[in-house]
Structures are given as structure tokens and as C-alpha cells.
């Protein structure tokens, strides 16, 4: 099973075993990652699952869609080049070891 490491804005790390086919947002919410809200349930309409993907992992992710790009402009904490919405990252075996950092707030 692949693992995802979530690092909070204060540096606290949680390594979570993820389920293939779930989104990174679903994995976070199911496992109580406090800094991931996921208000819309993963339908790309709220941007409350904003994460910063470790630059070493960025090439393993699919390209940002136009809709995700637009939603990233509305995040509570300014986006960076490493910003993604966790609801748009689907867990696969190839993504095992993914590292993301959560912003200090989502709303």
C-alpha cells in the first residue's frame, strides 16, 4: 500500500497508508489531517484541500487542469508553484512516498 506524508504548517508529520484510487484529500480527511478541510467533498469547487507538493514529487503528478488552476487562485493562503488541490491527486502505487505540506489555514 502506498504511503503519503503530510507535514503541517508547524512541521508536524503524519505518515498515512493510503488506498489506491482514493484522492489525497479523501485520505487526509479519513485520517484526521486537521489542516485539510475538503468542504466540497472533492468536486473541485472550494479549494479547501490546498497542499504544497514536495518539489521532488511534482514530476510524478498529472498536469494541473484548467479548472484546478483557476481554483488555486482562490486559496486562503497564496499559491506557489508547488500548490495543488489534494482532491485532484488520485493515489496510485506509483505515488507511494508522496510528501505534501498543508498551509496554515484553508478558509
Amino acid at each position: 500500500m502506498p504511503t503519503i506524508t503530510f507535514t503541517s504548517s508547524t512541521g508536524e508529520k503524519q505518515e498515512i497508508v493510503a488506498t489506491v484510487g482514493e484522492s489525497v484529500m479523501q485520505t487526509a480527511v479519513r485520517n484526521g489531517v486537521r489542516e485539510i478541510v475538503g468542504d466540497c467533498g472533492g468536486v473541485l469547487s472550494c479549494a479547501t484541500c490546498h497542499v504544497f507538493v514536495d518539489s521532488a514529487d511534482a514530476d510524478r503528478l498529472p498536469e494541473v487542469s484548467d479548472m484546478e488552476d483557476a481554483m488555486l487562485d482562490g486559496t486562503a493562503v497564496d499559491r506557489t508553484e508547488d500548490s495543488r488541490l489534494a482532491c485532484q491527486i488520485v493515489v496510485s502505487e506509483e505515488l507511494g512516498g508522496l510528501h505534501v505540506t498543508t498551509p496554515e489555514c484553508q478558509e
Side-chain angles (χ1 to χ4, degrees):
M1 301 280 289
T3 61
I4 301 170
T5 300
F6 294 87
T7 302
S8 73
S9 61
T10 60
E12 182 181 336
K13 293 186 184 299
Q14 273 183 276
E15 186 174 304
I16 297 172
V17 175
T19 301
V20 171
E22 265 190 350
S23 71
V24 171
M25 184 273 303
Q26 290 168 318
T27 300
V29 169
R30 185 172 43 78
N31 287 281
V33 175
R34 291 186 312 259
E35 293 176 323
I36 299 288
V37 178
D39 278 339
C40 73
V43 296
L44 196 55
S45 67
C46 71
T48 61
C49 63
H50 180 206
V51 294
F52 304 106
V53 175
D54 188 289
S55 58
D57 293 326
D59 290 343
R60 298 193 297 148
L61 301 180
E63 292 290 318
V64 175
S65 70
D66 291 341
M67 184 68 134
E68 181 180 2
D69 187 49
M71 291 302 299
L72 284 165
D73 284 336
T75 57
V77 172
D78 290 340
R79 73 185 288 181
T80 69
E81 63 183 45
D82 297 324
S83 289
R84 293 299 300 261
L85 296 180
C87 68
Q88 297 303 294
I89 304 170
V90 177
V91 175
S92 65
E93 290 293 342
E94 295 76 32
L95 282 183
L98 179 70
H99 290 84
V100 299
T101 301
T102 55
E104 60 210 33
C105 67
Q106 296 283 1
E107 300 177 292

